[in-house]
Amino acid sequence: MYRNSTQLAAGALLCALAAVFTCSAAATPAPRQTERSKQKVLAEKTRAGIQQKLAELKREVSKTESEREDAADTLAESEEAISNANRQLRELAGEQSETNATVAELAAAQQRLADTIASQKQQLARLLREQYVAGNEDRIKLLLSGDNPNRINRDLQLMAYVSKAQAKLLGSLHGNLAAVASNRDKAENAREELNEIAQEEREQKAVLEKEKARRAALLGTLSNRLAEQRKEIGGLERDEQRMAGLVDKLSKLIKEQAEAAAAEQRRQEALAAARARAAEQARLLAEAKKAERRAERERERERERERLAREAARKPPKLDPRTGAKVPPAPLPVPMDPIDDDEPPVAAQTPEPKPEAAPPRKPDIALAPAMPEGAFASLRGKLRAPVAGKLAARFGAKRGSGPSWKGMFIKAAEGSEVRAVAGGRVVFARWMRGFGNLILVDHGSEYLSIYGNNQALLKREGDAVKGGDPIASAGNTGGNEESGLYFEIRHKGAAVDPALWVNF
């Protein structure tokens, strides 16, 4: 029997080695969708809901205006396209950097695996040669030698340890081969993602150049009309009304989503508490059942002892044949418990809370505040300027014969980085008449920072940002004459002086 087992082990080793040494690269797989593509599709689906809401909100704001044509509207499509292309190129550059780092890590891991596998193959080859040379004769001789049984047993155990070591080595080798295959798939996916990124970069650069040329041509034909409209008092007032309407509607939407986020958190906490209570009840029930089983076994022992005592009392006493004295009765045997008291504890079955009749729809909380209450107010007078440049217009100053400035305008070179003054969440990022490419960041506690006339918006609606994160690049969109940034801070819908908050 031992010989058969040894032969089977040797055969298994030979088969495994044959599989190891003859495995070849798999056939080239058919083109497949990369993980990056899947994640992009999922992200677009996730953003679709909030984008639709904000598009409707913008349309509602526009309904309050007259249908009077604005020259800057002609630029809207190309300015939005330039913004999107710039954002896409920035995102693609970040993805490319991350993917290149992943490829480098995978290459290093592949080399380490290759070295390990080469070493393991050498070990298996040596074991195979030794097993072939030794065969099974030594084991047979050991069994039939008639030697000390203890020594035979010790030697057989040693052989068993060797067999286990061989099996462990084989298992490790198979695991490493599987890791190589997985690593190869990941590397191939990363290379395909890099190709995708390169193709998308080429496409976005072409779009960017095309739209820049288109915008330049439009500016050439619209420059006189834009200059005239910038002087119109009514236009400036409509811009202010448009911004006030946008902030008002956004504030309501943010409040709704904040309440939805709080309700969802309470629901999750209640569900977690219900699960904890159910688990505790199940544990207590299991302990009670175990205690009851022990008590029942003890009662059975007591009944058995009483039965044995009655039987012993009915039997005549034994006499010592030499002395004739009564022999004291042997102690009653203690009944053996068929179930040991040290039995492993039975895992408590935790009943899941009863499923709801209809699973609640996940609330839309994409615009819920990302900062705790009161955090932004504590930063008053400590914020950094959103862009490096020259202050050209201050809060409260008159705009010619029109309304006063509700924010400030900072002259800056086109393309200069615009940074969030504090942490928060992007609640609006799109083109709007009078402000061009506009981005608003909610800082909680009904505080908003507003960044207008940007060349490009680098963040999307719903994105959480930290203070100092690049969110846009300065420009002169929306029909503005000079390149720079229009900046506001609002609290509860009212504009406040940014100079009280920001160190310029």
Side-chain angles (χ1 to χ4, degrees), residues 456-489:
L457 307 178
L458 306 180
K459 294 294 183 180
R460 300 174 187 267
E461 291 150 342
D463 286 349
V465 296
K466 299 189 294 292
D469 281 357
I471 58 173
S473 57
N476 62 341
T477 57
N480 209 44
E481 186 176 11
E482 294 181 295
S483 175
L485 174 72
Y486 176 69
F487 178 67
E488 280 190 24
I489 293 178

Side-chain angles (χ1 to χ4, degrees), residues 5-23:
S5 301
T6 311
Q7 289 173 340
L8 288 172
L13 181 60
L14 283 168
C15 291
L17 285 169
V20 168
F21 285 104
T22 59
C23 67

